[in-house]
Amino acid sequence: MGGLQKKKFESGAVTNYITRNKARKKLSLSLPDFRRLCILKGIYPHEPKHKKKVNKGSTAPRTFYLLKDIRFLMHEPIVGKFRAYKIFVRKLRKAYAKAQWSDVERIRENKPGYKLDHIIKERYPSFIDALRDLDDALSMCFLFSTFARTGKCHVQTIQLCRRLSVEWMNYVVASRSLRKVFLSIKGIYYQAEVLGQTVTWLVPYQFAHDHPTDVDYRVMATFTEFYTTLLGFVNFRLYQSLNLLYPPKLDSKAETELKAAGEEDYAMDSESYLEKLSALSASLARVISTAEEEEAEPDHFPAEGEDLERMEEREKAQKEQEAQKRLFEGLKFFLTREVPRESLAFLIRCFGGQVSWDKSLCIGSTYDVTDETITHQIVDRPSIEKQYINRYYIQPQWVYDCINAKILLPVEDYFLGVTLPPHLSPFVEEKEGDYVPPEKLKLMALQRGEQPEQEDEEEDDDEEEEVDDDDDDDEEEEEDDEEAEEEELADEANLKKMEQQRSQGKALSVKVTPGKVKAENRLRTEEEEKAEEKRLAIMMMKKKEKYLYDKIMFGKKRKVREANKLAAKRKAHDEAGKADKKKKKAKKQ
Amino acid sequence: MSKAKDKSSKKRNIEEDEEQLPIFDNNNKNAGALDNDEGDSDVSDSEESVFSGLEDSGSDSDDDDDDDDDDVEEEDADEDLDNEDANVKANGQSSGDAETTERPSDDVSKPKHDEKSSKGKRMKKKERKKERGEGEEKEKSDGDAGLKVLAQVDEYEHDTSDEEDIRNTVGNIPMEWYKDYPHVGYNLDGKKIFKPIRNKDELDEFLDKMENPDYWRTVQDKMTGTDIRLSDEQVDLVHRLQEGKFGDVNFNEYEPAVDFFSNEVMIHPVTNRPMDKRSFIPSLIEKEKVSKLVHAIKMGWIKPRKPKETEPQYYDLWAKEDPDAILGRHKMHVPAPKMRLPGHEESYNPPPEYLLSEEERLAWEQQDPEERKLNFLPQKYPCLRAVPAFSRFIHERFERCLDLYLCPRQRKMRVNVNPEDLIPKLPKPKDLQPFPTTQSLVYLGHTSLVRCISVSPTGQWLVSGSDDSTVRFWEVGTGRCVKTLEVGGAVKSVAWNPNPAVCLVAVSFEGTVLLVNPGLGDKLVCSATDQLISSYEPPVEQREQPVQWNEAESREQELGHRLVLQHPKAVKQVTWHGKGDYLACVMPDNSSHLQVVIHQVSKRRTQNPFRKNKGLVQCVSFHPVRPYFFVATQRYVRVYNLIKQELTKKLMANCKWISSMAIHPGGDNLICGSYDCRLTWFDLDLATKPYKVLRHHKKALRGVAYHKNYPLFASGSDDGSVIVCHGMVYNDLLQNPLIVPVKVLKGHTITHDLGVLDVTFHPTQPWVFSSGADGTVRLFT
C-alpha cells in the first residue's frame, strides 16, 4: 500500500553488530594492528542471538563485534600511533635500503612510542577493578620473566617482567598477604589476598622453556605490554599503601649487610640490586621508617543478634588469619641447593620465617649452614651426610602443606627419605556429597585441634583407621538395621511357629499356611509413601520441566558416581598396600 | 678550468721569459726517440702541458689537462730534477725565479686531481684528432705532446698554402649554382674567375682514360673544377680507409693499457695549486650561523633533546578516582572469567585415587584434546626435585590469551533450580482415596495370555477370555473359577451385558460372536434372559443381513450358548450399549467399509452404520447416556450422532496408533491409550485436541478403563504395570478436570514382551482387575 519496500537486513539486530573485517576497514588498520588494539582496549567479540539475521542471511562463520565498541575504538589516540609506527617502519626500511645510515639513526631516534596509561585508567576506573583482573597479568609476567634472553621477545620486556614480578613478590612479603600455595605438575600456584581480592597466579618451574612453534608470540607480547603497564601501576599503588618506597629499595640496614657479600660478582650495579631484591631475604625501605607497625585494632561496635554472630565469626577468621601470617615466625630455615630457592624463600618470608641459603647459590644469603640456631633445613635428596642434631631435616613439601593447613604440621611425615603424604590442592572446597580424600579428613581433624593417635606406629594407625571406617559403615548400616530389627524379630517368631507347625503336620503335602501379619514399620512405610508420591508427581511433570529435572538429576548422579569411583579406587589401593605390607612382614618373620 | 688557465698563462709568461726555444728544440729532437725516461723530456712535458693549455681555447681547453695528467706522476716525481734543469738552462737566473716556477706546477696539480674521472675518455679523442691533423706518426706518452707542437707548425704552413689555393671567393656554397656559368666566383679585383675550359666530350674522356696512366688517380675538384692527381700517399690513405684501417700507418691500435689512476696512494699532490685563502680563514657565514645558534641557546629558544625514556614511568594512576570515569561501557562490560583453580589431581603428588589407571590413561589418550576432561595426565613424583617442566605451559598461557581476546563473552543466566521445585505440587494420594493399592487376588487357570476381561454389572462375577480358546467365569470375591467354556478359537473380546436385568455375555473369537448366558447369579435374571432370547419372533420380511444370526444347538445350549453370530471377518472387539440391547462389533479391515456392525439383540437385526471406510478401526464405544457412537481409528476418534446419523466431532489423538479407548461415565471425557506409550485425555466440551497427554508408561498401552462411580481411571501397559489415576471431573464446567496419578500397581510378569493386556474396574468397588500375558487375572483392591 504505502511507501518503499523495506529492505532486508537494514534494521534490527544487524545494526548493532559489525564483522571483524568491516571493523578493521572502518578503523583502517591492518589485522595485526586491529588485534593489538582489541587486546589493549579489552574489546572482545559478541555472539549475536540470531546469527543468521546479523550475518545477513548467511550462515558463514564470522566474528562479530558490537558496533558501539568499534565506534569507541575510533576515538582511541593509540590508533594514530599505530599508523605513525607503520610510517616509521616504512621510512626506516627505505633508509636502510639506501644505506643512509645517518638517516637511519635519526629515524631510529624519533621512533614513535605510545603509552598505555590512559587505557589502564579507562579499563580499570578503580583500583579494585585492576586488582580483580590481576591474575592473568601476574601469570604472564612470571612466565615472561623466566624466558631466556634470546629471541622470542625483547630483552627489555623480559627484564621489565622480572623487575615487576620481583616487586610484586616483595610486596606480598611485606604485606604478608599470601594465603594458599599449591605445587602442581604445571607449576606453582600462589594465592594472595590483596585488599580483599584474591589474586591467584601460576609460576612455572625453573627450567628452560621448550618454545612451541604453534604459538603466536606477537599476541603474547601485546598482552605482556599491557600487563606490565598494569602491574607497574598496581605495584606503585600497593607500595604506596604500605608506605614503601617505589621503586623498591632495600632497608638501609640490610643494604649494608648485603653489600659485603658477593658485590663483586656482578658487573652492573643495577643488576646486582635487582638480584638482591629478588633474593627476598631483606626487608624493604619505607618512606617513613617505623620501627614497628601498629596493629590496627578494629573498632568494636555494639551489635545485636545475627550481626553479633557474624561479627564474632569475622573476628575469629581474622584471628586465624593473623595466626597464619605468623606461621613461621621464630623459625630459621636453611635451603640446600636442590630446592626451588625463590619459591621457598618467598613463602618463608611471607609467613615471618627467617631464611638463608648457601652463599654460592644466590646473592643475599644471611647466615651459614653452620648456624646453630637453624631450626629447619629443607633438603630434597635421599640422604645427607653431615647432619646437625638440633634441627629438622625436612622435604620442601612440608612448607607448602603447612601454609595450606595454616598450622605447623608434624614434621615426622616429611623427614628425609620418607614417602611423602599426598599434596592436596588447597583450592578445592568440598561440598556435601563430594569425595573427600582421607588425607584431607585427617588434616581437618588436625586443624580442629584433635590429636591424632598416629604418633606411635604407622600400622596401628592404619588399623585404627580401618576400624574407624568400619565403624562409619556400621553406623550407617545400623540406622537401617534399627528399622528392620522389629520386623526381623516378628519374622523370626513367625518362622519358629511355622517350623513347629511343619514338624507337627509333616504328613500333609498340601497345607494352608495362615496369612502372616506383617508388622508394619511406620517410618519405612512413610518413607516409601513419600518416595512413591514423588515418583508419581514426577510422572505428572511437564515435558520441558521433566527434561530439566532429568538433566539435573543426571548431573547429580554423575557426581555421586565419580565420588564413588574415587572412593573405590582408594579402597582398592589401600587394600593392595596393606597386602604388600603383610607380605613384607611375613617375609621378615 | 679558467683558474687553471690563468695559472698556466702566468706560467707561460714565466717560461717564455726563460728560454723557450731550446726546450722546444729539445722536444723535437726527442720526438723520434722511444726511450724518454730522461729528466729532460719530463721537464718539457710539464712545461709543454702548461703551454698547450694556453694556446687552446674554449672547447679544447681541457686538452692541456689531459696531457698533464698523463704524466702527473712522473712530473711530480721529477719535480726537483725539473727545477734543477731549469736552473741549469736558465744559466744565471736567480734562485727565486726557480722557485716561482716550482710553485705553479704544484698548484696546477690540484685541479687536475679533480678531473681525473673524465680523463680516460678524452685521452683517446684527442689523440685521434692529432693524428688526423697530420700524417706523421709519433711516439706515445711524452712524444705526443711534442708531436702536437710540431703539428701546430705544420698547420700554419698548410694554411698559407690553402689560402693560395683557394681562389674561389663564392664561399661555401653548393657549386651546382655555378653549373651553368663559365666562371666560378670573382677574384679580389672583381674579375671573374673562369672555370678551366672543359670541352672534353665522351671521346676525349675515353681517350684520356685509355692514354693517361694517371687517369685512375685523377679526381675533379668540385670547388675549382680542376682535375687533381692524387699523390701516392693519398692513394694509400684512401686504400687504408676503404679497408677500415686507421689512416695512420704507424698507429698502434693495441697499445698496452696503462692504469693512470691506480689505487696506490700518491705521496705528492697532483697539482701544485696554492692553498686558497679561504681555506685558512674562518668562514664568515659559518660564524654568523654559529652565533645565531649560540644566541638561540642563550635565550632558551633551543633546548637540548631530551634523552629518551626507556624505563616506563609509574605513578599513582588511581590517585583521584572520580565516579565520572566509569563509563557506560563498564556496566556492559563482562569481565573475563578467571582460570579454573586446580584440583587435587593436578598436584605433583596427588592422592593415589586421582591417578589414572591403565585403561583410563588409554582412553584419555584416544580422546580428542577438546573432549578431554583433564588437559593433562595426573602424575605422581616421589619428590619435588623430580618434577619436570610442564611442556604445555606456554601453550596454555597462549590459549588463555586467545580466549581473552577472541572468545565472545556473554552473560548467561544460570538457572540454579532446585530440582525439588520442579516437581509439581499435587494433592497427596492419601487424600484422594479410595483407590486400589494392593494386589489382593490372583485368578489362576488360563494357560495362555488372557486377552480380555469383563465384570458382571453386579460385580460378583468376572469373565475372562484367553488365547487358549477358553472363556472362564470367576467369582470375584473368592477367585474361584466357576465355569469354563471351550470355544473354537482364541478369544479376542468378552463383554458382559451392562443391563443388570439381563445375564448375557458376548464372546468373540475369530469371525464368531457368541452370546452366552452363563447362568450365574440370580436364577430369575437368567431365566428372564433366556426367555427374552427365545421370545424372538422372526419378522415377516427377512432382510438380507451382513451377519448370520443362529440359535445355538441344543448341546451347546446346555453350556450356555444362546446365539451365534457369524461375521464375515474376524471380530476384534465387542461392546454393549448401556441399555444392553445393542451390541457393536469391530472387524478391522482396511479395505472395506464393513468394519463396524451394530447388532440389536432383541430384534436380531444387524446394521452397518458406515458407508465409507475412514481408516482401520481400532475400537468403538457407545456413549453411556446419549446416542453417540465413538469410533477410534489409528489416529483419530470420530464421534457420530446415531440419531442424526452424522459426524459430530473428530478428535485428534496426537499419537501414532490408538489401542484402546474408554469413556467417562459422565460422557464428557474420553481417554485413549496408544501403542506409543501415551494416554490422552479429551474433554469433549473443549477442543478436539487432547486436554492432557500422560506419558506414564514405559511401553505400549493395551487397555484403559474408567471407574463407574469413583473418579478413577486405569491404564495397563506392556511394561507390566497398571497405573491408577485420580481423574476428577467437576460438574462446574469452568473447572478443569484434576488428574493425579495415585498408584502404580505391579504384579504381572512380562511374557513375550507383553504385560498387561486389559484392565477393568469393579462396577461398585474401587477395585481394578487386570489380565496379563502371563495367563493370570489379578485383582487390586
Side-chain angles (χ1 to χ4, degrees):
Chain A
M1 269 297 242
L4 288 167
Q5 199 181 352
K6 217 176 165 190
K7 271 187 188 168
K8 252 183 164 184
F9 307 123
E10 283 196 346
S11 63
V14 192
T15 49
N16 292 333
Y17 292 96
I18 186 168
T19 62
R20 188 185 62 176
N21 222 18
K22 271 192 185 156
R24 199 178 61 69
K25 275 183 187 151
K26 191 165 190 173
L27 295 168
S28 61
L29 285 174
S30 66
L31 191 56
D33 275 345
F34 179 70
R35 195 167 56 198
R36 278 168 70 199
L37 190 65
C38 283
I39 290 171
L40 295 176
K41 294 283 282 182
I43 302 294
Y44 45 85
H46 280 256
E47 191 85 357
K49 247 183 191 166
H50 300 286
K51 218 169 175 190
K52 210 173 158 191
K53 271 185 196 166
V54 173
N55 213 350
K56 305 199 170 164
S58 150
T59 49
R62 287 211 176 91
T63 349
F64 290 100
Y65 287 85
L66 278 184
L67 193 61
K68 257 188 193 171
D69 284 352
I70 301 304
R71 284 217 193 96
F72 172 69
L73 286 182
M74 292 215 314
H75 302 294
E76 178 55 46
I78 273 195
V79 176
K81 300 280 183 183
F82 281 166
R83 297 194 187 116
Y85 192 82
K86 199 174 76 181
I87 301 303
F88 158 75
V89 169
R90 192 190 294 158
K91 278 182 182 166
L92 195 66
R93 206 188 299 132
K94 232 178 220 176
Y96 253 113
K98 290 179 176 173
Q100 296 167 333
W101 306 118
S102 60
D103 281 5
V104 167
E105 205 173 306
R106 181 177 50 77
I107 293 167
R108 273 260 171 81
E109 248 167 44
N110 293 325
K111 180 180 174 176
Y114 53 83
K115 284 195 164 184
L116 299 174
D117 307 7
H118 65 284
I119 291 184
I120 303 248
K121 183 79 200 257
E122 182 190 277
R123 277 180 70 172
Y124 307 110
S126 71
F127 183 55
I128 296 297
D129 293 334
L131 276 181
R132 216 173 277 157
D133 222 10
L134 213 58
D135 285 18
D136 290 308
L138 280 170
S139 295
M140 197 64 134
C141 276
F142 272 96
L143 171 64
F144 264 66
S145 63
T146 59
F147 277 179
R149 299 184 180 194
T150 48
K152 294 303 167 210
C153 62
H154 295 295
V155 177
Q156 290 95 320
T157 316
I158 296 169
Q159 271 168 344
L160 184 61
C161 282
R162 176 72 188 153
R163 193 191 114 188
L164 290 171
S165 52
V166 166
E167 280 170 13
W168 170 259
M169 283 202 286
N170 270 311
Y171 167 77
V172 173
V173 168
S175 64
R176 296 207 175 172
S177 48
L178 196 73
R179 292 288 169 271
K180 288 169 180 173
V181 61
F182 178 50
L183 290 168
S184 96
I185 53 171
K186 293 181 182 173
I188 306 175
Y189 286 89
Y190 298 93
Q191 191 172 60
E193 199 180 312
V194 181
L195 304 182
Q197 299 291 329
T198 48
V199 181
T200 317
W201 70 98
L202 172 62
V203 182
Y205 288 115
Q206 289 282 344
F207 288 106
H209 290 284
D210 184 17
H211 286 285
T213 47
D214 51 344
V215 162
D216 189 352
Y217 277 89
R218 287 175 302 173
V219 172
M220 300 253 279
T222 314
F223 268 105
T224 312
E225 193 183 355
F226 177 75
Y227 284 151
T228 47
T229 322
L230 170 66
L231 194 56
F233 284 116
V234 168
N235 277 350
F236 185 92
R237 173 87 177 207
L238 287 174
Y239 272 68
Q240 216 184 28
S241 71
L242 277 193
N243 243 342
L244 295 169
L245 281 174
Y246 189 91
K249 288 271 168 348
L250 291 176
D251 221 350
S252 54
K253 192 176 71 185
E255 204 165 351
T256 47
E257 273 173 29
L258 276 179
K259 210 149 223 173
E263 184 83 322
E264 63 278 2
D265 295 346
Y266 290 92
M268 277 166 67
D269 211 28
S270 60
E271 228 174 72
S272 77
Y273 208 81
L274 183 63
E275 288 290 326
K276 268 185 246 165
L277 273 175
S278 62
L280 298 168
S281 61
S283 50
L284 299 179
R286 293 182 186 262
V287 178
I288 310 152
S289 53
T290 45
E292 278 293 305
E293 272 179 86
E294 311 129 35
E295 286 298 316
E297 286 273 315
D299 293 340
H300 288 280
F301 296 105
E304 279 172 34
E306 261 184 64
D307 282 343
L308 193 71
E309 271 176 38
R310 227 179 285 157
M311 275 272 269
E312 274 169 9
E313 244 172 62
R314 216 181 302 148
E315 265 172 46
K316 202 179 159 193
Q318 207 160 12
K319 254 182 207 170
E320 232 171 66
Q321 232 176 53
E322 286 302 316
Q324 197 199 357
K325 277 183 190 174
R326 295 162 191 282
L327 188 63
F328 292 145
E329 235 158 57
L331 301 183
K332 241 176 155 183
F333 290 86
F334 189 82
L335 311 180
T336 46
R337 271 183 299 118
E338 67 277 2
V339 298
R341 188 205 64 81
E342 191 173 286
S343 168
L344 280 168
F346 173 55
L347 293 181
I348 292 166
R349 293 267 300 131
C350 268
F351 293 96
Q354 275 179 291
V355 64
S356 180
W357 45 85
D358 198 56
K359 220 184 273 172
S360 61
L361 179 64
C362 182
I363 196 170
S365 68
T366 44
Y367 46 86
D368 215 22
V369 209
T370 51
D371 196 335
E372 292 291 318
T373 54
I374 290 172
T375 56
H376 294 79
Q377 182 160 348
I378 300 173
V379 185
D380 196 7
R381 53 180 111 172
S383 65
I384 196 162
E385 286 142 30
K386 199 185 167 193
Q387 293 201 356
Y388 292 84
I389 292 175
N390 58 350
R391 63 178 78 156
Y392 294 121
Y393 286 86
I394 46 168
Q395 302 198 34
Q397 195 189 320
W398 182 78
V399 177
Y400 296 88
D401 281 351
C402 281
I403 290 164
N404 292 336
K406 300 179 186 174
I407 45 168
L408 289 179
L409 292 171
V411 286
E412 288 83 2
D413 299 342
Y414 299 90
F415 277 155
L416 278 193
V418 165
T419 315
L420 289 168
H423 180 60
L424 297 174
S425 164
F427 303 114
V428 181
E429 267 158 32
E430 279 92 357
K431 274 176 252 153
E432 221 180 278
D434 285 354
Y435 173 72
V436 187
E439 286 83 9
K440 179 109 179 183
L441 291 174
K442 231 191 276 177
L443 188 78
M444 269 146 64
L446 267 178
Q447 277 171 333
R448 265 181 263 124
E450 292 167 22
Q451 273 301 318
E453 323 85 24
Q454 54 187 333
E455 243 61 80
D456 318 352
E457 268 180 53
E458 277 179 38
E459 278 167 38
D460 281 355
D461 168 30
D462 282 0
E463 275 160 19
E464 265 168 52
E465 245 179 77
E466 226 181 296
V467 172
D468 282 349
D469 287 354
D470 290 352
D471 281 349
D472 287 346
D473 292 353
D474 286 349
E475 271 168 45
E476 282 164 31
E477 277 166 31
E478 264 167 19
E479 283 171 29
D480 293 0
D481 288 350
E482 274 165 40
E483 294 163 20
E485 253 175 341
E486 290 165 40
E487 248 177 79
E488 276 171 32
L489 279 176
D491 281 355
E492 271 172 46
N494 275 344
L495 274 175
K496 268 182 191 171
K497 268 182 203 170
M498 274 168 66
E499 270 172 50
Q500 279 176 0
Q501 282 166 353
R502 233 176 244 177
S503 57
Q504 281 167 2
K506 257 181 188 173
L508 287 172
S509 60
V510 181
K511 59 172 179 127
V512 179
T513 47
K516 283 176 270 173
V517 181
K518 268 202 173 177
E520 288 201 356
N521 189 335
R522 237 188 298 144
L523 267 176
R524 180 160 280 192
T525 44
E526 244 173 59
E527 251 173 49
E528 272 175 12
E529 258 173 39
K530 262 188 192 165
E532 187 165 2
E533 234 175 81
K534 202 175 157 189
R535 237 184 359 253
L536 292 171
I538 287 167
M539 287 201 306
M540 278 308 282
M541 269 180 167
K542 279 176 199 158
K543 207 174 170 185
K544 232 179 178 175
E545 286 175 351
K546 182 83 188 295
Y547 176 72
L548 186 62
Y549 180 83
D550 280 349
K551 246 180 133 176
I552 294 172
M553 292 321 269
F554 177 77
K556 276 189 172 175
K557 269 180 199 159
R558 190 179 47 198
K559 243 184 206 167
V560 170
R561 213 167 45 230
E562 272 164 14
N564 286 343
K565 198 177 160 193
L566 283 176
K569 253 174 136 180
R570 177 67 181 213
K571 208 174 170 189
H573 181 266
D574 284 352
E575 268 163 21
K578 236 172 252 165
D580 277 356
K581 255 183 205 167
K582 270 177 196 167
K583 263 184 204 171
K584 270 182 199 168
K585 247 187 194 176
K587 267 183 193 173
K588 271 182 198 169
Q589 283 166 355
Chain B
M1 203 86 281
S2 57
K3 271 183 217 158
K5 231 188 259 170
D6 290 343
K7 296 266 160 62
S8 48
S9 68
K10 264 186 218 161
K11 207 173 20 171
R12 206 227 7 202
N13 291 337
I14 294 161
E15 260 157 79
E16 267 171 359
D17 289 344
E18 294 169 49
E19 298 152 332
Q20 198 184 359
L21 278 174
I23 297 167
F24 280 131
D25 287 346
N26 209 354
N27 258 341
N28 286 336
K29 270 177 228 158
N30 283 343
L34 282 168
D35 222 357
N36 39 12
D37 280 342
E38 277 180 30
D40 285 14
S41 68
D42 286 330
V43 175
S44 73
D45 237 2
S46 69
E47 242 79 308
E48 195 276 329
S49 69
V50 175
F51 175 76
S52 62
L54 249 189
E55 49 102 57
D56 278 339
S57 65
S59 62
D60 263 355
S61 64
D62 38 12
D63 265 13
D64 58 333
D65 296 327
D66 298 329
D67 297 338
D68 280 338
D69 293 334
D70 294 348
D71 302 345
V72 161
E73 271 179 61
E74 287 161 82
E75 182 188 19
D76 286 341
D78 302 326
E79 195 81 39
D80 295 327
L81 274 176
D82 180 5
N83 288 335
E84 270 172 55
D85 282 328
N87 286 340
V88 171
K89 274 154 200 167
N91 279 337
Q93 280 249 320
S94 70
S95 60
D97 273 345
E99 270 169 31
T100 49
T101 54
E102 194 181 337
R103 202 195 287 158
S105 73
D106 271 343
D107 285 346
V108 166
S109 72
K110 263 184 201 166
K112 263 153 221 174
H113 277 298
D114 299 336
E115 293 166 358
K116 272 177 190 170
S117 59
S118 57
K119 274 158 199 169
K121 268 189 219 161
R122 282 185 219 157
M123 276 293 304
K124 273 183 189 166
K125 266 192 221 163
K126 304 288 144 66
E127 275 167 11
R128 230 170 280 154
K129 249 190 223 166
K130 285 168 216 157
E131 263 129 31
R132 241 180 285 134
E134 60 243 297
E136 289 172 356
E137 297 90 62
K138 294 281 134 78
E139 289 304 323
K140 263 277 337 156
S141 66
D142 53 336
D144 260 355
L147 257 181
K148 191 129 200 213
V149 178
L150 220 124
Q152 280 161 3
V153 177
D154 282 349
E155 221 174 314
Y156 285 117
E157 285 170 7
H158 225 97
D159 272 353
T160 49
S161 70
D162 262 357
E163 271 164 30
E164 281 161 23
D165 274 356
I166 294 169
R167 272 151 284 184
N168 188 353
T169 54
V170 291
N172 197 12
I173 57 155
M175 292 314 288
E176 288 99 79
W177 295 355
Y178 283 95
K179 207 169 70 184
D180 299 334
Y181 298 99
H183 66 277
V184 196
Y186 304 87
N187 64 8
L188 286 172
D189 304 328
K191 297 273 172 60
K192 281 177 182 172
I193 299 171
F194 286 96
K195 287 180 193 170
I197 302 154
R198 290 188 68 104
N199 44 5
K200 278 182 182 171
D201 54 0
E202 291 289 317
L203 194 62
D204 289 333
E205 193 78 24
F206 179 72
L207 286 177
D208 195 23
K209 194 178 175 181
M210 298 313 283
E211 285 165 7
N212 190 358
D214 289 335
Y215 174 79
W216 60 276
R217 58 160 73 175
T218 317
V219 177
Q220 190 193 7
D221 187 355
K222 279 195 177 148
M223 290 294 270
T224 54
T226 53
D227 286 345
I228 297 168
R229 185 182 160 274
L230 294 179
S231 66
D232 279 349
E233 288 83 27
Q234 279 166 329
V235 170
D236 249 7
L237 185 65
V238 170
H239 277 303
R240 271 207 305 279
L241 288 176
Q242 272 176 340
E243 283 167 27
K245 286 179 186 167
F246 282 98
D248 186 355
V249 179
N250 291 345
F251 179 68
N252 185 6
E253 295 168 59
Y254 307 106
E255 292 262 4
V258 177
D259 210 1
F260 296 106
F261 307 103
S262 64
N263 55 353
E264 284 161 32
V265 180
M266 294 172 283
I267 55 167
H268 295 292
V270 177
T271 61
N272 245 346
R273 189 165 167 268
M275 299 264 281
D276 281 326
K277 184 183 179 186
R278 62 164 188 271
S279 65
F280 46 86
I281 289 176
S283 159
L284 260 181
I285 298 166
E286 276 175 15
K287 189 183 163 193
E288 216 166 88
K289 269 186 184 168
V290 168
S291 70
K292 258 185 195 169
L293 288 175
V294 167
H295 181 64
I297 290 169
K298 263 188 202 164
M299 300 300 288
W301 298 335
I302 295 178
K303 277 175 194 137
R305 190 175 287 149
K306 273 182 206 160
K308 276 229 164 169
E309 290 163 5
T310 48
E311 288 279 288
Q313 292 297 312
Y314 300 121
Y315 50 91
D316 194 356
L317 190 67
W318 294 279
K320 40 181 195 298
E321 290 182 10
D322 51 336
D324 301 341
I326 298 167
L327 303 172
R329 299 181 47 76
H330 290 110
K331 283 164 203 151
M332 291 294 297
H333 180 73
V334 184
K338 293 199 171 189
M339 291 278 269
R340 216 175 59 81
L341 289 171
H344 296 313
E345 62 277 357
E346 209 181 306
S347 166
Y348 87 102
N349 181 14
E353 61 268 32
Y354 287 97
L355 293 171
L356 296 186
S357 65
E358 197 60 29
E359 305 98 63
E360 281 170 328
R361 205 171 54 77
L362 280 175
W364 184 89
E365 272 164 7
Q366 263 161 19
Q367 269 176 332
D368 277 341
E370 289 86 30
E371 282 173 10
R372 286 172 187 165
K373 219 173 166 200
L374 293 175
N375 54 2
F376 57 91
L377 270 175
Q379 255 156 341
K380 192 181 182 103
Y381 297 98
C383 54
L384 190 57
R385 190 183 35 154
V387 183
F390 185 59
S391 59
R392 287 191 52 81
F393 196 94
I394 296 177
H395 268 120
E396 284 194 355
R397 198 99 285 283
F398 177 62
E399 273 156 24
R400 169 71 177 170
C401 287
L402 290 187
D403 283 352
L404 283 177
Y405 90 98
L406 277 182
C407 276
R409 291 182 206 166
Q410 223 168 11
R411 252 183 237 278
K412 276 223 166 132
M413 297 312 284
R414 192 181 195 113
V415 195
N416 213 349
V417 187
N418 184 4
E420 300 302 317
D421 297 346
L422 288 172
I423 298 170
K425 293 279 165 289
L426 293 174
K428 279 191 174 172
K430 245 187 203 170
D431 307 338
L432 301 175
Q433 272 170 345
F435 54 82
T437 51
T438 48
Q439 176 184 314
S440 48
L441 274 179
V442 184
Y443 304 89
L444 293 166
H446 281 294
T447 52
S448 183
L449 34 107
V450 185
R451 289 239 179 235
C452 45
I453 45 174
S454 182
V455 192
S456 73
T458 53
Q460 199 183 352
W461 312 102
L462 175 72
V463 63
S464 63
S466 157
D467 269 10
D468 56 4
S469 25
T470 57
V471 177
R472 280 171 192 260
F473 294 88
W474 315 84
E475 196 181 10
V476 168
T478 57
R480 198 157 62 90
C481 181
V482 191
K483 203 173 180 180
T484 308
L485 273 185
E486 294 271 350
V487 292
V491 181
K492 295 284 186 217
S493 176
V494 291
W496 208 294
N497 194 323
N499 189 349
V502 178
C503 179
L504 209 56
V505 176
V507 178
S508 78
F509 60 94
E510 289 168 358
T512 315
V513 173
L514 268 182
L515 293 183
V516 179
N517 184 355
L520 298 171
D522 202 342
K523 286 268 164 58
L524 281 175
V525 175
C526 292
S527 53
T529 309
D530 283 346
Q531 265 187 359
L532 192 77
I533 288 169
S534 55
S535 67
Y536 167 74
E537 283 171 15
V540 189
E541 284 177 43
Q542 197 73 33
R543 275 201 292 166
E544 191 64 31
Q545 289 196 359
V547 172
Q548 282 188 336
W549 290 74
N550 297 323
E551 295 247 350
E553 291 160 21
S554 58
R555 191 176 53 79
E556 284 168 341
Q557 283 275 7
E558 281 164 25
L559 289 172
H561 297 198
R562 293 292 175 266
L563 289 171
V564 181
L565 290 82
Q566 289 293 344
H567 290 74
K569 284 173 278 186
V571 176
K572 193 192 165 196
Q573 193 214 355
V574 286
T575 180
W576 289 96
H577 182 252
K579 294 263 171 62
D581 195 18
Y582 289 96
L583 177 69
C585 295
V586 180
M587 298 172 282
D589 180 8
N590 223 351
S591 57
S592 136
H593 66 275
L594 185 71
Q595 291 197 75
V596 182
V597 284
I598 299 177
H599 309 294
Q600 193 178 9
V601 177
S602 58
K603 290 184 179 166
R604 299 197 184 173
R605 223 173 52 183
T606 302
Q607 51 188 358
N608 175 17
F610 304 115
R611 236 169 291 140
K612 268 186 195 163
N613 171 20
K614 292 271 176 70
L616 197 65
V617 176
Q618 299 300 314
C619 51
V620 294
S621 181
F622 287 100
H623 192 280
V625 281
R626 268 177 278 172
Y628 287 127
F629 189 59
F630 297 84
V631 178
T633 55
Q634 267 185 33
R635 295 170 149 242
Y636 306 101
V637 177
R638 290 187 172 79
V639 187
Y640 294 96
N641 190 332
L642 287 174
I643 291 174
K644 288 182 184 170
Q645 305 231 321
E646 64 179 15
L647 179 73
T648 42
K649 215 162 210 175
K650 185 180 163 192
L651 305 173
M652 253 108 41
N654 277 0
C655 54
K656 298 269 164 57
W657 198 312
I658 294 170
S659 65
S660 52
M661 174 175 62
I663 292 146
H664 192 264
D668 276 346
N669 295 284
L670 175 97
I671 49 173
C672 281
S674 76
Y675 290 115
D676 51 352
C677 322
R678 293 175 206 216
L679 186 141
T680 44
W681 174 293
F682 290 97
D683 194 328
L684 295 178
D685 293 336
L686 298 174
T688 55
K689 295 262 171 65
Y691 159 69
K692 204 142 210 176
V693 178
L694 309 175
R695 285 180 206 80
H696 296 168
H697 285 286
K698 300 277 182 308
K699 282 187 177 168
L701 270 77
R702 293 272 170 184
V704 289
Y706 268 115
H707 198 282
K708 266 207 175 122
N709 304 322
Y710 292 102
L712 292 173
F713 64 90
S715 56
S717 149
D718 275 351
D719 59 7
S721 66
V722 175
I723 291 179
V724 182
C725 298
H726 178 90
M728 180 60 122
V729 178
Y730 299 96
N731 287 329
D732 180 9
L733 286 176
L734 291 174
Q735 204 163 357
N736 284 327
L738 171 78
I739 299 169
V740 183
V742 287
K743 190 73 191 171
V744 180
L745 299 168
K746 282 181 182 165
H748 287 283
T749 50
I750 297 166
T751 39
H752 308 302
D753 279 342
L754 294 172
V756 180
L757 295 175
D758 198 7
V759 286
T760 182
F761 274 102
H762 192 275
T764 49
Q765 297 295 323
W767 299 345
V768 69
F769 299 93
S770 65
S771 70
D774 54 353
T776 60
V777 179
R778 284 158 202 261
L779 168 66
F780 300 94
T781 53

